[in-house]
Amino acid sequence: MEATNALSVMTAAELTRLVLAKEELFILDVRNESDFKDWKIEGERIDVINIPYFELLDGVDPVLDQIPDGKKILVVCAKEGSSKFVAEQIAQAGRGNVHYLEGGMKSWSEHLEPVKIGDLKNGGSLYQFVRIGKGCLSYMVVSDGEAAVVDTARMADVVEEFAKSHGATIKHTLDTHLHADHISGGRKLAEKTGGTYWLPPKDADEVTFSYDKLEEGQDIIVGNTTIRIEPVYSPGHTIGSTSLIVDEQFLLTGDILFIESIGRPDLAGKAEDWIDDLRETLYNRYRGLTQDLIVLPAHFGKISELGEGGKVMAKLSELYDKNPGLNIQEEAAFRRIVTENLPPQPNAYQEIRQTNMGKMTPSEEEQREMEIGPNRCAVHDK
Amino acid sequence: MQVDLVIDTKGLACPMPIVKAKKALDGLTTNQIMEVQSTDKGSVNDFQAWVKQTKHELIKYEEENGIYKFFVKKV
């Protein structure tokens, strides 16, 4: 009998660093086939196979030859239990370097990786929080002891801790639009830190709470240095969608413009009405802005959109060259692309919208379940 | 419908509900019916996929107050 090897645990944070460093990894995903097809862990040098754990109840021997020897192995399931069950057996069969993912896909969905985007002109920095499992991006502007957070994830504690560790108090939380793919942590965070929560009024018709109106023509000052957040009204994804220009350098596009795609107009149920707005924003409004602005979107859909160190960013001029969504000359063709053959909607998107309006108050565990799966906010996500 | 065996996996998380169900199913004779009770929402999809894969028959699946009940007939 071969010696039993030790089994190791891998956290979502460790896995994130491994993906960002483009390291090699072999993943055995033991969830059922439909969950796997819907959503999985991806990386440039990651190989993944799917064999449900319930096909391995009598042992892993039949599949051992599908697991490469000598590579780092990670077994993944929805929550953890089944991956541990399978990984233990692989280690017992004498394989080394075997890990299971702590907390499973639930933890993977929630991990936020802070990445520094750049310095601001009068001191201060801009950070991007990469929610790598779900493809969501939020932002923090830190300047002279104050912070503003944009499109905050539900896991607001992580964001608050980050601000604290940078000696900053969160004064403002902003949502560029009413989100349909994730539950916003903006309101909760503002309540906790005594900050102001900003939301575009046109997306807030039905909200049950008070908020400050994120409208064009207003500046939001963060710190003593003049960091301007200039809302640019840019409807399309939702009627209220608003873009922000930070420090005259960065254009936060929300769910209107991504690196390799553009926002889908159908998640609030009004695709037909908003196609013209979306086209106007992408083909005229953004064209009129300084083309040197660095675009920072609220999502990525493909692993190829993750740049160096995990940064998701590109110059506006570059996107006009390369992004297929900005290069559809015919209006009719544009209309077709943004309404037909769209990817499936994000999981529980109606309930998520209701929650973000304050009309539903699901428990923490229910919120977690609602957010399972990829964001699917772009036209080209399949 | 006459249930021959009830397997209670309430409170257990993956993979235990299916591990227990499989053991029980192995001990049944053809045409006997087993009822598996679970509180693990995550195992609903798994359970259906598992039964399909075993070629046995999932006769019925229901939810009542957070308890999921699966009725499986051994083929």
Side-chain angles (χ1 to χ4, degrees):
Chain A
M1 210 177 106
E2 285 181 87
T4 298
N5 280 305
L7 178 63
S8 318
V9 58
M10 188 183 288
T11 63
E14 286 162 350
L15 177 57
T16 300
R17 265 149 236 162
L18 206 144
V19 172
L20 297 184
K22 303 185 196 296
E23 282 178 37
E24 213 178 21
L25 180 69
F26 183 86
I27 295 180
L28 170 61
D29 191 322
V30 298
R31 291 175 300 155
N32 65 64
E33 197 187 336
S34 60
D35 288 358
F36 174 77
K37 276 193 175 152
D38 189 46
W39 180 47
K40 61 177 182 288
I41 297 168
E42 290 171 273
E44 208 164 285
R45 296 178 67 210
I46 292 180
D47 287 323
V48 194
I49 61 167
N50 173 229
I51 304 170
Y53 69 91
F54 44 80
E55 292 179 14
L56 303 172
L57 297 177
D58 289 326
V60 295
D61 286 351
V63 302
L64 274 182
D65 58 348
Q66 295 181 50
I67 300 168
D69 222 343
K71 263 195 184 182
K72 190 178 259 190
I73 310 292
L74 177 67
V75 187
V76 170
C77 69
K79 280 181 275 189
E80 182 181 296
S82 302
S83 65
K84 205 172 166 186
F85 170 81
V86 172
E88 263 164 9
Q89 296 183 62
I90 297 173
Q92 270 163 18
R95 291 301 186 88
N97 216 352
V98 182
H99 308 253
Y100 66 91
L101 180 62
E102 186 179 72
M105 290 301 277
K106 278 201 175 171
S107 293
W108 180 240
S109 163
E110 292 188 343
H111 178 70
L112 295 181
E113 185 74 12
V115 179
K116 186 174 170 180
I117 291 295
D119 291 321
L120 303 170
K121 285 174 200 153
N122 300 319
S125 306
L126 179 62
Y127 297 90
Q128 186 175 52
F129 289 86
V130 182
R131 185 174 179 181
I132 188 164
K134 201 171 166 59
C136 300
L137 304 166
S138 36
Y139 296 91
M140 187 186 288
V141 178
V142 180
S143 171
D144 198 30
E146 292 192 357
V149 193
V150 181
D151 292 332
T152 320
R154 173 172 55 79
M155 295 71 71
D157 295 353
V158 181
V159 181
E160 197 187 353
E161 274 307 309
F162 186 85
K164 261 189 208 158
S165 71
H166 285 71
T169 308
I170 295 168
K171 294 282 182 187
H172 304 278
T173 67
L174 297 74
D175 274 324
T176 53
H177 61 287
L178 189 86
H179 298 285
D181 65 289
H182 69 271
I183 295 162
S184 170
R187 186 159 51 102
K188 193 168 82 182
L189 190 59
E191 274 167 18
K192 229 176 137 188
T193 63
T196 307
Y197 176 54
W198 301 78
L199 188 64
K202 288 194 174 165
D203 274 2
D205 275 357
E206 298 174 54
V207 306
T208 60
F209 46 80
S210 63
Y211 65 97
D212 275 43
K213 292 178 180 176
L214 187 66
E215 278 176 312
E216 186 164 7
Q218 268 172 327
D219 289 348
I220 298 171
I221 308 295
V222 186
N224 291 333
T225 47
T226 339
I227 295 168
R228 284 168 184 268
I229 299 178
E230 304 172 25
V232 177
Y233 179 51
S234 52
H237 184 72
T238 65
I239 190 66
S241 284
T242 299
S243 302
L244 307 165
I245 297 175
V246 178
D247 199 34
E248 289 158 14
Q249 294 187 66
F250 302 101
L251 175 64
L252 274 60
T253 52
D255 283 12
I256 294 287
L257 174 61
F258 306 117
I259 303 300
E260 293 181 13
S261 186
I262 55 174
R264 61 193 288 177
D266 65 317
L267 292 181
K270 295 180 183 163
E272 283 299 323
D273 297 356
W274 294 341
I275 297 167
D276 294 339
D277 290 332
L278 183 61
R279 187 161 175 93
E280 168 66 21
T281 304
L282 294 173
Y283 286 75
N284 292 319
R285 206 134 192 182
Y286 283 173
R287 275 248 185 239
L289 300 172
T290 314
Q291 295 299 296
D292 283 345
L293 285 170
I294 305 287
V295 170
L296 296 167
H299 291 295
F300 68 94
K302 292 182 200 147
I303 203 78
S304 55
E305 290 174 277
L306 282 173
E308 181 229 329
K311 290 179 204 170
V312 182
M313 59 192 272
K315 243 186 207 175
L316 187 54
S317 56
E318 238 172 79
L319 296 188
Y320 275 110
D321 281 344
K322 292 184 192 155
N323 188 319
L326 292 178
N327 289 285
I328 307 161
Q329 300 320 322
E330 299 265 327
E331 264 194 63
F334 182 83
R335 180 170 289 271
R336 247 193 338 270
I337 286 166
V338 301
T339 53
E340 292 173 15
N341 294 317
L342 289 174
Q345 278 116 351
N347 187 47
Y349 76 107
Q350 299 285 23
E351 290 82 3
I352 290 175
R353 283 172 46 79
Q354 299 281 319
T355 306
N356 283 334
M357 291 179 202
K359 288 178 164 181
M360 264 176 78
T361 44
S363 71
E364 191 82 7
E365 191 49 38
E366 285 166 334
Q367 294 190 22
R368 219 169 255 158
E369 293 278 348
M370 284 156 72
E371 284 194 341
I372 279 298
N375 70 78
R376 294 211 175 100
C377 286
V379 166
H380 299 98
D381 293 348
K382 293 280 162 158
Chain B
M1 181 175 59
Q2 195 206 321
V3 174
D4 298 290
L5 182 64
V6 177
I7 302 296
D8 180 0
T9 73
K10 294 197 290 284
L12 297 178
C14 288
M16 291 321 289
I18 293 184
V19 169
K20 285 194 135 191
K22 184 190 183 298
K23 263 193 196 140
L25 189 68
D26 288 346
L28 291 184
T29 54
T30 307
N31 289 330
Q32 279 191 314
I33 292 173
M34 157 179 91
E35 174 187 336
V36 182
Q37 303 173 345
S38 164
T39 47
D40 184 23
K41 196 180 169 197
S43 53
V44 174
N45 271 343
D46 292 353
F47 206 89
Q48 296 176 9
W50 168 65
V51 176
K52 202 172 160 195
Q53 181 253 144
T54 60
K55 313 274 186 247
H56 297 292
E57 189 189 342
L58 183 63
I59 304 173
K60 201 169 72 163
Y61 146 64
E62 59 189 32
E63 194 227 317
E64 211 183 292
N65 302 322
I67 297 169
Y68 303 89
K69 292 179 180 176
F70 304 92
F71 299 85
V72 184
K73 184 176 172 184
K74 179 143 176 168
V75 176

